[in-house]
Amino acid sequence: MKKSFPLLSTLIVALTASYFLIPLYATFQFSLQMIRGTWSFEAYRSVFNSEVFFATVSFSAVASLAAIVVGILIVVPTAYWVRLKLPRLRPLVEFISLMPLIIPPVVLVFGYIRLFGSDSILPFTMSNTGTNVLLVAGYVVLSLPYMYRSVDNGMAAIDITTLTEAAESLGASRLRTIAGVIFPNVRAAIVSGAFLTFSISFGEFVIASLLNRPAFGPYLVQIGQDRAYEPAALAIMSFALIWACMVLMQLFAARKPGRRLLPRPAIKSARRVTP
């Protein structure tokens, strides 16, 4: 039987796509009009010729990657331990992970300044390194809801109890179990949370601005106050970077996890006892 063309679904998809693509196209067209009477990439050339652009992009990229690493090291063991040993505390942990969506970032950064300012026991804001640490901590907090949800959903798809018992019965420690068994099996979920963290942190403005950090978000706002066409070019480039991250996320998430579920020493032990 020949299926009918999904007209309604196609119309909904087209309207949804136009809601995003039409303003994006208008922004791109405006970014090409820096030279009156012709279209050119002069605005993009002006952006790439700026040393401040590369400095802010590199700073935000490093800070975002640091937030990803810290977030993974905190969220993965926490989600694993809650699912394995403390299932009754899951509602509480999920509620805590959603708090960054309730508390505004401006409240968070003023709390950091109050706790770690010049009059506190740990004056992090008195040095660039300490302030950068606070910035990364803020990024970790902002991305916590997305990272935790991604990792928790990934662990829900595997039997962590059986994997843990199998690894420990072959002599693997709890830390080796997490690193060699849990991490490979929730790799796609970790990658999804990592790219969401990068997308949130890279263009963040409030925390970076109030901590006076040379990040990409404050730079984008500042250049938008002084110029007209370069901010449009920066917006298009930031969209392209985020879309590239989403494509990478899909590629990594589509790959199947490795077949090796146990650490190598445990596999060797199993082979020795196999008749």
Side-chain angles (χ1 to χ4, degrees), residues 11 27 37 103 108 128 141 179 181 183 223 275:
L11 181 62
T27 304
I103 301 176
L108 176 66
N128 290 331
V141 173
V181 179
F183 264 88
I223 199 173

Side-chain angles (χ1 to χ4, degrees), residues 30 34 42-54 56-57 205 209 215-238:
F30 180 77
M34 186 172 181
E42 187 64 28
Y44 296 88
R45 188 179 297 109
S46 176
V47 169
F48 280 111
N49 289 335
S50 174
E51 296 181 357
V52 180
F53 167 73
F54 289 101
T56 56
V57 168
F205 168 75
S209 177
F216 181 73
Y219 168 72
L220 181 60
V221 174
Q222 181 181 2
I223 199 173
Q225 297 175 351
D226 302 332
R227 303 180 184 180
Y229 300 98
E230 286 85 347
L234 285 172
I236 295 298
M237 288 189 289
S238 63

Side-chain angles (χ1 to χ4, degrees), residues 2 22 31 39 44 55 61 73 76 93 126 128 130 141 144 147 152 161 189 199 210-211 219 238 241 243 266:
K2 187 177 180 180
I22 292 177
S31 68
W39 286 6
Y44 296 88
L73 294 178
V76 174
V93 176
M126 297 302 293
N128 290 331
V141 173
L144 181 61
M147 177 66 77
D152 188 64
T161 303
S199 300
L210 293 179
L211 289 178
Y219 168 72
S238 63
L241 179 61
W243 285 357

Side-chain angles (χ1 to χ4, degrees), residues 162-214:
T162 302
L163 293 176
T164 301
E165 292 176 353
E168 291 181 345
S169 66
L170 295 174
S173 63
R174 185 57 57 84
L175 181 60
R176 193 61 184 271
T177 300
I178 296 176
V181 179
I182 303 301
F183 264 88
N185 283 277
V186 295
R187 180 188 60 191
I190 293 175
V191 170
S192 299
F195 281 111
L196 289 173
T197 300
F198 184 85
S199 300
I200 294 170
S201 304
F202 187 80
E204 199 278 331
F205 168 75
V206 176
I207 297 179
S209 177
L210 293 179
L211 289 178
N212 195 22
R213 293 293 84 199

Side-chain angles (χ1 to χ4, degrees), residues 47-99:
V47 169
F48 280 111
N49 289 335
S50 174
E51 296 181 357
V52 180
F53 167 73
F54 289 101
T56 56
V57 168
S58 60
F59 179 87
S60 293
V62 172
S64 300
L65 292 176
I68 290 173
V69 173
V70 175
I72 291 174
L73 294 178
I74 293 176
V75 170
V76 174
T78 302
Y80 166 75
W81 191 255
V82 169
R83 278 193 168 272
L84 184 67
K85 295 293 185 180
L86 304 171
R88 294 183 178 180
L89 293 182
R90 279 195 62 205
L92 177 61
V93 176
E94 291 180 355
F95 174 76
I96 294 175
S97 69
L98 294 176
M99 290 298 292

Side-chain angles (χ1 to χ4, degrees), residues 94-115:
E94 291 180 355
F95 174 76
I96 294 175
S97 69
L98 294 176
M99 290 298 292
L101 299 178
I102 303 173
I103 301 176
V106 64
V107 176
L108 176 66
V109 67
F110 275 116
Y112 283 162
I113 296 174
R114 180 69 175 176
L115 290 175

